[in-house]
Every structure is written in structure tokens, then in C-alpha cells.
């Protein structure tokens, strides 16, 4: 996957009643310049949006290393250096990478260790782990001796029999989609979904297809009740992992073990939340006898 670009920005924030002399120089250099700057002052953002941008720039400036000194125009010498990440067009998986926080469960700093008893939480050090223990204890105890089922999955963009799945967002054109589908048809190699959870257990939602239900999990064999209960749609809250598991392309016994639990314990037998651990590029372990609290997603 190609990394989205980071936009390096120099900026100055002036209030109308107190424009710095530097700003006048900067404005006049642009107004008198030969390049087309006709859209330069066409600000359509609301004041709240501008304040949000300013806040973001001020936060990001602290995250740049001080040794980094990109070129500036002379009139920009007093400006502040910062950066922005593009918000679109990005795919859902790319967005999810930015939304993923695998830091310490307590303080958010980079985590170096996880709870060795249950693997569901990470910590930066023993101090944070100790501090969290009272809150974490019941979940930790609950997961002791749990039964896990390995569930292999295949690339969700190829189901066989000329059925393809493709992810897209509102910025994609029809032409983009055509290209992606052509690309998929031509290729035999598939990239596994990124592993943003490492070996830490996380919560997944599992849905099973039913001809009489609505939603993406049910669209593939829409209207064919004989195919009911043959597809899982599995994803985490931030969609860093989103896999479609077809019984015929998975291991039937593994699939059925998870399906039995989902149908017995899930909502209307169609969906439920499970603990999962990524155990390989193409496999998940699903916990069959301990369940997370019901989630609102
Ligand atoms: Zn910590
Ligand atoms: Zn634990």
C-alpha cells in the first residue's frame, strides 16, 4: 500500500486588528508576483473551521523534529512550520490506520508489553499495568482458559467463480472502480489485510448471511435461502480488518464451530461480538465461550 503524502505547511496566524509587518510583506509579495494567485484569499471556511485548522497546525508543529528545516521564501521566515495529513481521498483501511491506537491502555504512550494472562490490553510499563489492574481484573479472569477456534480466511476481493469484491469511497469515480476490478481480475496475488492489532486480542463483529436480512453481509446470495449461513462478514470497530469468509473457501469444520456459537448466542442468530486474535496473515482465532460486552457498532 502506498503511504499517503504528508503536507508540510508554513503558516502565520494574524488577527485582523494586529497584522504583523511580516504579513504585509508576504501579502504584497504574492499580490505582485507573476504566478496566478487569484484564489489565494478566497477563504470560504467558517470561523470554527479556521479555528479547527489552526488548532491542528499548532498540535502538529510539536510533532516535527526540530532539525527539519525545509526551504522557505524570504517573506515566510517568521512563519511556523507544521504539517497536515490528507483526509481524502483515502480508503477505509487507510483511514483506519490513522484511527488506530495501539498505545498503552492507560496513558496512550507507545506500548511495549501486554497482559500476559489474556493478551487483550497493552501497556507501556509495569506502573501503568499495575494502575489498570483493578479495572482489568474481571475481564482478565473471565478470559482464563477460554476456548479459541482457528478460522482461516481468503482474500475478500476474490470469491472465485468471477465474483469480486472491491472497496471504494465517495471520492472514487466509476473509472477508478473499473480499473481496480480489471487489476483484480488480472492478478493472482492478494495482499492480506493489514495487521493493526499485532498479537493482541480485539473485538470483532461477526455477521452471517441470510436471504431475509438486510445489509452488506447478506448481498452476495440475496434471495437464495439455500445459501443461508454460508458467509461470515467479520470486522473490527475501525475496519482495520474486514474479511469475508465463505464456508466453501474456508475450512468447513472451523466455519461451523463459529457459526454454531453465533447462531446460538448472537442477536437473532445473525450477528454477535467475539474476541479475536490475528494468528496469521490469513487466519483469526475466535473465542467461542467468552464474550465481550455488547457493542454499539
Ligand atoms: Zn502507560
Ligand atoms: Zn489480562
Amino acid at each position: 500500500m502506498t503511504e499517503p503524502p504528508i503536507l508540510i505547511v508554513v503558516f502565520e496566524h494574524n488577527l485582523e486588528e494586529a497584522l504583523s509587518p511580516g504579513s504585509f510583506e508576504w501579502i504584497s509579495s504574492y499580490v505582485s508576483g507573476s504566478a496566478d494567485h487569484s484564489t489565494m484569499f478566497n477563504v470560504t471556511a467558517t470561523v470554527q473551521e479556521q479555528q479547527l485548522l489552526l488548532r491542528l497546525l499548532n498540535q502538529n508543529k510539536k510533532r516535527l523534529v526540530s532539525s527539519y528545516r525545509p526551504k522557505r521564501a524570504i517573506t515566510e521566515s517568521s512563519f511556523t512550520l507544521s504539517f497536515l495529513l490528507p483526509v481524502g481521498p483515502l480508503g477505509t483501511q487507510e483511514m483506519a490506520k490513522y484511527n488506530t491506537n495501539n498505545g498503552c491502555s492507560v496513558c496512550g504512550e507507545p506500548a511495549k508489553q501486554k497482559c500476559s494472562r489474556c493478551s487483550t490490553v497493552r501497556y507501556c510499563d509495569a506502573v501503568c499495568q499495575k494502575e489498570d489492574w483493578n479495572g482489568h481484573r474481571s475481564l482478565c479472569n473471565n478470559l482464563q482458559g477460554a476456548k479459541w477456534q482457528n478460522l482461516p480466511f481468503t482474500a475478500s476481493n476474490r470469491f472465485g467463480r468471477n465474483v469480486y469484491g472491491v472497496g471504494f469511497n465517495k471520492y472514487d469515480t466509476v473509472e477508478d472502480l473499473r480499473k481496480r476490478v480489471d487489476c483484480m481480475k488480472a492478478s493472482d496475488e492478494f495482499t492480506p489485510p493489514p495487521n493493526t492489532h499485532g498479537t493482541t486480542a480485539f473485538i470483532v463483529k461477526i455477521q452471517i448471511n441470510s436471504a431475509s436480512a438486510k445489509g452488506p453481509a447478506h448481498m452476495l446470495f440475496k434471495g437464495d435461502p439455500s445459501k443461508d449461513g454460508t458467509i461470515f462478514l467479520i470486522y473490527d470497530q475501525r475496519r482495520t480488518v474486514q474479511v469475508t469468509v465463505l464456508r466453501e473457501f474456508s475450512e468447513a469444520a472451523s466455519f461451523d464451530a463459529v457459526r454454531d456459537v453465533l447462531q446460538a448466542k448472537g442477536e437473532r442468530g445473525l450477528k454477535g461480538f467475539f474476541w479475536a486474535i490475528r494468528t496469521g496473515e490469513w487466519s483469526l482465532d475466535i473465542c467461542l465461550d467468552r464474550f465481550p460486552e455488547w457493542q454499539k457498532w
Side-chain angles (χ1 to χ4, degrees), residues 106 117 130 157 194 204 253 257:
V106 178
R117 295 180 75 216
K130 206 173 162 195
N157 52 1
V204 290

Side-chain angles (χ1 to χ4, degrees), residues 79-116:
F79 286 20
T80 309
L81 185 63
S82 185
F83 70 91
L84 293 169
L85 295 170
V87 291
L90 295 174
T92 43
Q93 286 196 343
E94 288 158 318
M95 300 271 247
K97 273 207 307 195
Y98 295 115
N99 285 328
T100 301
N101 179 5
N102 283 328
C104 173
S105 298
V106 178
C107 70
E109 290 296 312
K112 295 178 202 75
Q113 58 202 65
K114 60 184 175 179
C115 176
S116 58

Side-chain angles (χ1 to χ4, degrees), residues 115 117-121 133 136 140:
C115 176
R117 295 180 75 216
C118 72
S119 288
T120 63
V121 281
W133 178 242
H136 174 61
C140 195

Side-chain angles (χ1 to χ4, degrees), residues 164-166 175-186:
Y164 297 89
V166 59
E175 197 50 39
D176 291 336
L177 288 178
R178 276 206 190 99
K179 268 189 212 149
R180 223 168 296 161
V181 171
D182 287 345
C183 188
M184 234 182 278
K185 284 181 180 169

